């Protein structure tokens, strides 16, 4: 017998009559069972238990139950990123020969998935303007199985005709998938309204602090839910327990953050509209927005934290604006507690030709602002200075 201490056998976790208030973080990838019968019972669904981290873990389930409650559904899963959620849904529910109709202003990587990746696996896609129900209907073919839309588009913040799209999916017996990232369940109850599948990039407003990458999928039909779950586990798109724990912490303040960010967004939209350096403002909460009435009806007055505007002039004015406001992070994300600026012509939409960008209304002076939770006076002063510099 060696007299070395045994460092390999784990020490028992101390018991406590008082209970931790915070959800414990459980990073264990493996779970040991008392005997093979118990493992059988778990696999057959007769007993609840975890087996292996890729298949699921407590922190993922805690987070999924919280987002279920926000969406008003049950049985959602968390995934390693918003794009994992999109991937697991597409590959779990579509097969060779199927066709999908997507909104023409989807998130950039979702667009790429539809137009470049799915075709390599024999799944074809058409894109159509989701504000135009006739265009959406015209894109449907006999092979169409699914519609994928976002309620508010990026970066021009157009609002999809969700009443029309929901009816179209029902009439044509298509799986309606709604990416609810921009709107969140606080503004748009995608599941309760009848979407077959709801997707979130939890990375954005829900987690809210730009320190985790996570996604979520909620499917209404249990067969869909199982297919998406199995695809997620097989492709290894599983979320990390650490990230789930952080996102859970972020969600406790979601309501307050979203409320504050929306109030700030409305105030900034007014400031932009009144500034001589600005050519036009895009905010669904403003009367001059082309979809203002639809946004009012669909979103119940919650017009979101995203505001876009076009500067008069071009790249020189855009450079001047970002340089004059280093405290407003110039970063291609959204939903952080702090305000971030993105410039689609040089980032998300740089692969498009200037003509294609112009067709979407994206000029060199176009900025998208993800408004955060700073005190509004501070934001107003920062933007006024930045716009003065761009004038
Ligand atoms: C960011 C985003 C995604 C992708 O999410 P990740 O967590 O970055 O993978 C998908 N859809 C929308 C609308 C997004 O904004």
């Amino acid at each position: 017998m060696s007299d070395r201490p045994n460092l390999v056998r784990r020490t028992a976790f101390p018991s406590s009559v008082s209970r931790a208030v915070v959800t414990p973080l459980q990073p264990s990838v493996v779970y040991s069972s008392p005997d093979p019968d118990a493992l059988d019972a778990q696999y057959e669904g007769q007993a609840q238990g975890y087996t292996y981290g890729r298949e699921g873990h407590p922190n993922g389930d805690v987070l999924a139950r919280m987002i279920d409650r926000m969406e008003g559904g049950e049985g959602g899963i968390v995934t390693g990123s918003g794009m994992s959620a999109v991937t697991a849904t597409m590959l779990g529910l579509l097969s060779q020969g199927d066709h999908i109709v997507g909104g023409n202003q989807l998130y950039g990587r979702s667009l790429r998935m539809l137009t470049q990746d799915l075709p390599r696996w024999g799944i074809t896609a058409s894109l159509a303007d989701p504000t135009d129900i006739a265009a959406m209907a015209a894109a449907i073919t006999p092979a169409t199985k699914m519609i994928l839309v976002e309620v508010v588009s990026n970066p021009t913040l157009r609002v999809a005709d969700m009443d029309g799209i929901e009816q179209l999916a029902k009439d044509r017996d298509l799986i309606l998938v709604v990416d609810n990232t921009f709107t969140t369940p606080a503004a748009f109850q995608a599941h309760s309204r009848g979407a077959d599948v709801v997707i979130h990039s939890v990375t954005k407003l829900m987690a809210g602090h730009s320190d985790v990458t996570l996604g979520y999928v909620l499917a209404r039909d249990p067969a869909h839910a199982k297919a998406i779950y199995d695809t997620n586990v097989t492709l290894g798109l599983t979320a990390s327990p650490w990230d789930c724990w952080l996102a859970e912490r972020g969600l406790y303040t979601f309501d307050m953050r979203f409320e504050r960010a929306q109030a700030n967004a409305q105030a900034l939209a007014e400031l932009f509209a009144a500034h001589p350096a600005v050519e036009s403002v895009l905010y669904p909460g403003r009367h001059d927005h082309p979809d203002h009435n639809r946004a009012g009806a669909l979103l119940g007055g919650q017009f979101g934290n995203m505001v876009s505007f076009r500067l008069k002039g071009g790249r020189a004015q855009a450079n001047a604006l970002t340089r004059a406001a280093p405290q407003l992070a110039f970063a291609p994300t959204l939903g952080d507690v702090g305000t971030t600026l993105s410039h689609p012509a040089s980032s998300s939409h740089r692969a498009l030709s200037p003509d294609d960008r112009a067709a979407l209304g994206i000029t060199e002076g176009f900025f998208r602002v993800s408004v955060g939770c700073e005190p509004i006076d501070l934001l107003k002063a920062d933007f006024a200075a930045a716009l003065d510099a761009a004038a």
Side-chain angles (χ1 to χ4, degrees):
M1 283 275 285
S2 147
D3 55 5
R4 289 194 201 163
N6 174 12
L7 296 177
V8 173
R9 296 254 162 99
R10 288 183 167 92
T11 305
F13 200 68
S15 65
S16 170
V17 288
S18 49
R19 194 169 53 85
V21 172
V22 173
T23 302
L25 170 60
Q26 180 50 274
S28 190
V29 171
V30 282
Y31 292 81
S32 77
S33 302
D35 54 42
D37 280 353
L39 195 55
D40 267 351
Q42 252 174 265
Y43 273 119
E44 297 305 320
Q46 292 145 359
Q48 157 65 23
Y50 297 96
T51 51
Y52 187 68
R54 181 162 33 69
E55 312 256 334
H57 46 73
N59 292 100
D61 285 345
V62 166
L63 179 61
R65 297 298 75 77
M66 285 178 79
I67 305 176
D68 283 354
R69 285 207 300 280
M70 294 171 77
E71 278 289 353
E74 53 185 43
I77 59 164
V78 292
T79 63
S81 65
M83 281 316 299
S84 298
V86 174
T87 302
T89 302
M90 301 293 114
L91 298 187
L93 301 185
L94 297 174
S95 299
Q96 193 173 21
D98 289 341
H99 174 259
I100 172 172
V101 175
N104 62 355
Q105 283 194 45
L106 291 174
Y107 182 70
R109 286 278 163 184
S110 298
L111 277 180
R112 192 193 137 105
M113 162 88 69
L114 263 58
T115 57
Q116 295 182 43
D117 296 310
L118 292 182
R120 294 193 290 118
W121 303 312
I123 300 161
T124 53
S126 303
L127 303 178
D129 178 354
T131 68
D132 177 354
I133 196 63
M136 291 295 286
I140 295 172
T141 75
T144 305
K145 196 160 172 199
M146 181 183 281
I147 295 177
L148 169 63
V149 287
E150 292 168 18
V151 184
V152 174
S153 73
N154 177 38
T156 57
L157 309 180
R158 294 298 305 266
V159 181
D161 180 355
M162 290 308 300
D163 291 330
I165 291 168
E166 286 158 0
Q167 193 60 47
L168 184 65
K170 213 174 195 173
D171 291 346
R172 307 294 286 268
D173 198 22
L174 304 174
I175 301 168
L176 175 60
V177 182
V178 176
D179 178 336
N180 206 16
T181 302
F182 266 50
T183 24
T184 83
F188 188 77
Q189 291 75 45
H191 175 80
S192 311
R193 290 175 58 100
D196 297 295
V197 181
V198 183
I199 287 174
H200 284 282
S201 169
V202 176
T203 311
K204 311 290 172 53
L205 285 150
M206 282 196 177
H209 296 73
S210 300
D211 50 9
V212 297
T213 306
L214 283 176
Y216 165 88
V217 189
L218 172 65
R220 181 178 308 281
D221 179 339
H224 288 168
K226 180 164 185 345
I228 293 168
Y229 166 79
D230 279 330
T231 303
N232 194 61
V233 173
T234 303
L235 297 186
L237 308 175
T238 315
S240 150
W242 303 80
D243 287 349
C244 293
W245 188 89
L246 274 174
E248 176 201 333
R249 188 169 71 159
L251 266 187
Y252 292 120
T253 56
F254 168 78
D255 274 346
M256 284 177 280
R257 286 187 283 108
F258 195 51
E259 211 176 290
R260 169 80 165 244
Q262 290 190 96
N264 283 351
Q266 183 84 45
L268 283 184
E270 304 310 321
L271 179 143
F272 299 154
H275 199 282
V278 173
E279 182 186 284
S280 54
V281 177
L282 301 164
Y283 185 61
R286 279 180 57 83
H287 292 283
D288 59 4
H289 187 282
D291 307 316
H292 177 65
N293 290 339
R294 180 182 289 157
L298 280 182
L299 308 177
Q302 310 238 32
F303 298 111
N305 74 312
M306 306 297 290
V307 186
S308 295
F309 62 86
R310 295 185 190 92
L311 290 174
K312 291 174 187 158
R315 178 61 71 95
Q317 284 68 27
N319 284 336
L321 182 131
T322 54
R323 284 187 198 131
Q327 66 281 31
L328 300 167
F330 174 45
T333 187
L334 66 107
D336 186 69
V337 280
T339 298
T340 56
L341 278 178
S342 88
H343 181 251
S346 64
S347 58
S348 54
H349 292 68
R350 68 175 297 126
L352 299 186
S353 69
D355 280 353
D356 286 348
R357 279 200 293 270
L360 290 174
I362 299 168
T363 60
E364 279 291 342
F366 192 109
F367 278 95
R368 186 197 75 179
V369 186
S370 169
V371 181
C373 301
E374 297 93 333
I376 187 61
D377 292 344
L378 184 68
L379 283 179
K380 280 182 168 170
D382 285 348
F383 273 102
L387 289 169
D388 288 348

